[in-house]
Amino acid sequence: DVKVTQSSRYLVKRTGEKVFLECVQDMDHENMFWYRQDPGLGLRLIYFSYDVKMKEKGDIPEGYSVSREKKERFSLILESASTNQTSMYLCASSLPLGQGNGYTFGSGTRLTVV
Amino acid sequence: ELKVEQNPLFLSMQEGKNYTIYCNYSTTSDRLYWYRQDPGKSLESLFVLLSNGAVKQEGRLMASLDTKARLSTLHITAAVHDLSATYFCAVEPSKGNEKLTFGTGTRLTIIP
């Protein structure tokens, strides 16, 4: 069964900490994405990557960075966590669009910053 | 810029009734996806619609795509409680970037 695995389902961190959210896919997908989801705001794209070592800013990249050193792994980094980054974070991966597969999502990480 | 609108945003319906969720989008696209999200969970793929006139059905849900009207519908027949969830449509651009554009989601609540 193909999978996108996010390392933590729930995470509690303190303000100012550096936080790493990890996402691994086993489908050999080129594209990987990080979204955050907040009530009433839908899905908002933070960063995405089309290939190893490539990254592109999404709609709300401020306060975040990413790393993609290997094709299967896409990490989201909160450089200095703040309470307004408390959210559900969703990782997704896909083949290049045009192949009719859409995204496969991970199970999500609910991050609370205190 | 591709914009995707879903309506309604919230839908409360009785068991046994039929209803339709609408997904309109602003630019040319031949591919559209529907996802389901249960409370506190992630999104799972429901339907993949790849051409004009495409229709997919699973159980009490049926999705269709009209690319000329830039409209997809998700029809619920004889709703049951376990269909309560948030449903998202997502549109793939015809060309250019590699990102899907998601609708805002429709929170569906089925009342006994």
Side-chain angles (χ1 to χ4, degrees):
Chain A
D1 203 12
V2 294
K3 269 191 186 170
V4 178
T5 302
Q6 293 183 232
S7 53
S8 305
R9 286 298 309 276
Y10 300 94
L11 213 50
V12 179
K13 295 292 181 180
R14 294 197 181 277
T15 301
E17 275 192 77
K18 191 169 185 175
V19 180
F20 294 84
L21 302 183
E22 305 287 347
C23 177
V24 178
Q25 50 95 2
D26 64 2
M27 297 168 282
D28 202 32
H29 282 174
E30 283 80 0
N31 300 338
M32 296 188 76
F33 306 85
W34 276 106
Y35 288 86
R36 67 176 282 178
Q37 186 178 28
D38 301 287
L41 295 177
L43 293 165
R44 293 186 290 168
L45 181 63
I46 305 170
Y47 268 97
F48 57 103
S49 169
Y50 296 149
D51 202 349
V52 176
K53 297 194 187 293
M54 293 184 66
K55 59 186 179 184
E56 298 277 347
K57 291 180 181 179
D59 301 316
I60 52 163
E62 296 78 19
Y64 303 93
S65 62
V66 289
S67 172
R68 194 164 181 204
E69 295 296 318
K70 294 185 178 181
K71 188 175 185 180
E72 66 269 19
R73 185 181 296 269
F74 193 36
S75 303
L76 180 69
I77 304 153
L78 286 65
E79 298 291 344
S80 177
S82 64
T83 54
N84 63 12
Q85 292 178 309
T86 292
S87 187
M88 169 72 105
Y89 289 87
L90 297 170
C91 176
S93 71
S94 76
L95 291 168
L97 293 187
Q99 301 188 35
N101 294 293
Y103 292 179
T104 301
F105 282 88
S107 55
T109 295
R110 186 165 294 281
L111 173 67
T112 302
V113 182
V114 298
Chain B
E1 180 190 347
L2 175 58
K3 293 191 189 301
V4 180
E5 286 188 4
Q6 272 182 252
N7 65 83
L9 297 184
F10 298 94
L11 177 56
S12 185
M13 53 190 293
Q14 286 188 312
E15 279 190 328
K17 300 289 189 185
N18 303 334
Y19 210 81
T20 301
I21 299 170
Y22 297 89
C23 175
N24 292 273
Y25 54 96
S26 61
T27 63
T28 303
S29 173
D30 292 328
R31 296 171 188 267
L32 189 140
Y33 306 86
W34 283 96
Y35 293 87
R36 169 182 171 143
Q37 184 180 34
D38 292 307
K41 302 285 180 64
S42 189
L43 280 74
E44 60 178 280
S45 180
L46 272 181
F47 297 112
V48 178
L49 303 169
L50 299 179
S51 61
N52 186 41
V55 177
K56 294 280 183 74
Q57 182 162 7
E58 182 164 331
R60 300 172 189 273
L61 298 176
M62 184 174 73
S64 65
L65 178 61
D66 181 344
T67 59
K68 290 181 172 50
R70 297 178 186 171
L71 171 68
S72 180
T73 60
L74 180 66
H75 187 72
I76 303 136
T77 302
V80 293
H81 179 70
D82 64 8
L83 290 179
S84 295
T86 299
Y87 294 87
F88 291 89
C89 63
V91 179
E92 180 177 319
S94 288
K95 57 184 176 182
N97 66 62
E98 290 286 314
K99 297 178 290 178
L100 297 181
T101 299
F102 284 83
T104 49
T106 297
R107 182 180 289 182
L108 173 65
T109 304
I110 311 295
I111 304 165

